Amino acid sequence: MADKLTASDVQKLLTDPSTDNRALAADKIAAQFGSGALSDSERRIAEDIFRIMVKDAEERVRAALSKHLKDAPDIESSVAKSLANDLSDEVALPMIQFSEALSDADLLEIVRNQGGARTKAVAGRPTVSTKVSDAIVEHGDEDAVVTLVSNSGAEISEKTLNRVVETYGDSPQVQDPLVHRPTLPVTIAEKLVARVADHLKDYLVQHHELPEQTATDLILQSREKATLGLAGQGNSDDIAALVDQLRNNGRLTPSIILRALCVGDLGFFEHALAALAGVPVANARMLIHDEGELGLKSLYQKAGMPPALLPAYRSALDMVHSAEMERTDDDPEHRMRRLLERVLTEHEEIVEEFGADNVDYLLAKFGRLAQASKAA
């Protein structure tokens, strides 16, 4: 903090009101005011001085005031506004970004009339109201929007987030901080799915609410890339992390597990049952691949899976094993298409347990794979 303003400083200022002396006096008195060290009468005198100094022709003097008064919430509004509207960015930006003495009305005026770095400074304030956020997205440039959506202290309405997605949804600079916001409305998260890169899709699934169908599609899309044609092999650590995140968010459902198995993702199936049963994945693998019937059954029950669907899971598991053993020239999609067809036709209990929506999903999957096979 600057040294305390003394009588000697005041005398020097009166006898020699040079730029250096005025800047020194501004620095010291503003620092004392900001620290709360002045009495009520001293504060009134200081504010009288500030009202004069904000009009000082020298930028150094005004910058000294801004440097210290930006953190003084009880500074007089006229002083704060004068500094925030200063022609010099060095003076204005600290006040715009940090001063609590500025009202939403003051900030809206800045955003609507000044733009550029000053709107970006508003977007970076510790807290930003929905009304101010609306104005930033309406009047600001991409840099300001990036700063806004990166700011966890900014309140942004669903309507304004929708405008961000429509205007900047294809910009990686906007996508990344937007996806990583603490919370996103379901409608916004779903709109982002079609626009963002794979690693951001993973984050959307793991950290934001999405319609179950959309989330499942994304999970299976990422898992299929790692498993189809690779006999269910994948990075075990990556699978474990995904399964743990889904379980922690209450999204590791029997439906997702069955769907993953029906596209040949044995690794996901093993990790999912292990996580739900609370056993090491090595132990789960031994039980799942036990030649007898009791191993899978005991693990399945311990995992709290639907009893009626055990035969369907067992059938799908047998098909995955067969596909691994065959080592045919068929492409992986063709093998998985036959797996889906058999599971769906042999197990009516899937409809009873999961409902028509899940069967429709698997049938649609079957149809896509059939078309891919014909095209090949």
Side-chain angles (χ1 to χ4, degrees):
M1 188 180 77
D3 295 334
K4 188 173 182 179
L5 187 71
T6 63
S8 174
D9 294 323
V10 175
Q11 183 62 35
K12 187 185 297 184
L13 182 62
L14 292 173
T15 58
D16 179 19
S18 64
T19 298
D20 286 345
N21 285 339
R22 296 201 313 277
L24 177 64
D27 188 63
K28 288 185 175 182
I29 194 167
Q32 286 177 253
F33 187 97
S35 70
L38 301 179
S39 66
D40 289 345
S41 60
E42 289 172 331
R43 290 176 70 83
R44 287 193 291 272
I45 294 172
E47 288 180 331
D48 288 339
I49 296 172
F50 295 151
R51 282 191 287 273
I52 296 171
M53 285 186 165
V54 294
K55 301 175 183 177
D56 198 292
E58 286 294 332
E59 180 181 302
R60 285 174 54 196
V61 176
R62 305 192 309 277
L65 292 180
S66 176
K67 174 185 175 183
H68 296 291
L69 295 183
K70 66 180 174 62
D71 297 318
D74 51 354
I75 187 67
E76 188 179 272
S77 174
S78 63
V79 173
K81 287 174 65 175
S82 181
L83 292 171
N85 287 290
D86 196 280
L87 293 177
S88 165
D89 279 353
E90 184 180 353
V91 178
L93 292 180
M95 293 298 294
I96 292 172
Q97 184 165 356
F98 297 106
S99 178
E100 295 180 20
L102 297 173
S103 66
D104 271 5
D106 299 329
L107 298 174
L108 288 170
E109 184 177 349
I110 290 169
V111 169
R112 289 166 180 163
N113 300 314
Q114 299 190 35
R118 302 191 179 203
T119 295
K120 184 176 179 180
V122 174
R125 286 172 63 86
T127 59
V128 183
S129 70
T130 54
K131 185 181 297 185
V132 174
S133 292
D134 293 346
I136 291 169
V137 174
E138 181 178 355
H139 298 281
D141 58 17
E142 183 172 337
D143 282 346
V145 172
V146 169
T147 300
L148 180 70
V149 298
S150 301
N151 184 358
S152 60
E155 297 179 359
I156 312 176
S157 68
E158 184 172 342
K159 180 180 178 182
T160 296
L161 285 171
N162 190 61
R163 184 169 185 170
V164 171
V165 174
E166 289 178 352
T167 308
Y168 303 103
D170 294 325
S171 166
Q173 289 74 28
V174 175
Q175 288 176 358
D176 193 278
L178 186 57
V179 168
H180 285 85
R181 283 190 64 77
T183 58
L184 279 178
V186 173
T187 55
I188 301 303
E190 191 170 16
K191 284 190 174 183
L192 284 170
V193 164
R195 293 175 175 262
V196 300
D198 286 346
H199 72 285
L200 294 179
K201 289 179 183 178
D202 291 342
Y203 192 92
L204 279 170
V205 171
Q206 295 176 26
H207 295 84
H208 295 292
E209 291 295 332
L210 284 169
E212 183 178 2
Q213 196 76 8
T214 302
T216 303
D217 278 338
L218 291 177
I219 293 166
L220 295 189
Q221 284 170 16
S222 64
R223 296 300 311 134
E224 283 176 81
K225 290 177 183 178
T227 58
L228 285 178
L230 298 177
Q233 297 301 310
N235 186 308
S236 183
D237 290 340
D238 289 345
I239 300 171
L242 174 60
V243 166
D244 284 344
Q245 188 69 46
L246 291 171
R247 181 190 58 182
N248 293 339
N249 290 339
R251 299 179 195 172
L252 189 59
T253 63
S255 172
I256 286 179
I257 297 170
L258 178 63
R259 291 171 178 181
L261 188 57
C262 282
V263 296
D265 196 342
L266 188 56
F268 185 93
F269 179 67
E270 293 167 345
H271 279 80
L273 288 193
L276 292 174
V279 301
V281 70
N283 293 6
R285 286 195 183 105
M286 292 177 60
L287 293 170
I288 289 170
H289 303 296
D290 184 3
E291 292 185 1
E293 295 187 358
L294 296 181
L296 175 62
K297 182 178 181 180
S298 63
L299 179 66
Y300 187 92
Q301 291 174 338
K302 187 174 178 62
M305 297 286 281
L309 284 184
L310 177 58
Y313 279 96
R314 192 182 297 280
S315 179
L317 181 60
D318 289 343
M319 279 292 291
V320 173
H321 283 151
S322 297
E324 289 182 351
M325 295 295 292
E326 285 176 10
R327 303 295 183 185
T328 67
D329 292 333
D330 290 344
D331 59 45
E333 285 85 0
H334 180 69
R335 294 199 302 273
M336 291 309 107
R337 179 168 58 85
R338 289 191 292 107
L339 186 158
L340 286 170
E341 184 178 26
R342 174 174 163 181
V343 172
L344 287 172
T345 56
E346 291 185 1
H347 297 282
E348 295 180 358
E349 62 269 26
I350 293 177
V351 181
E352 297 174 3
E353 183 69 28
F354 286 155
D357 288 345
N358 282 278
V359 176
D360 288 344
Y361 175 90
L362 291 172
L363 286 171
K365 184 75 180 174
F366 168 79
R368 288 196 298 272
L369 293 183
Q371 290 177 357
S373 178
K374 290 178 182 177

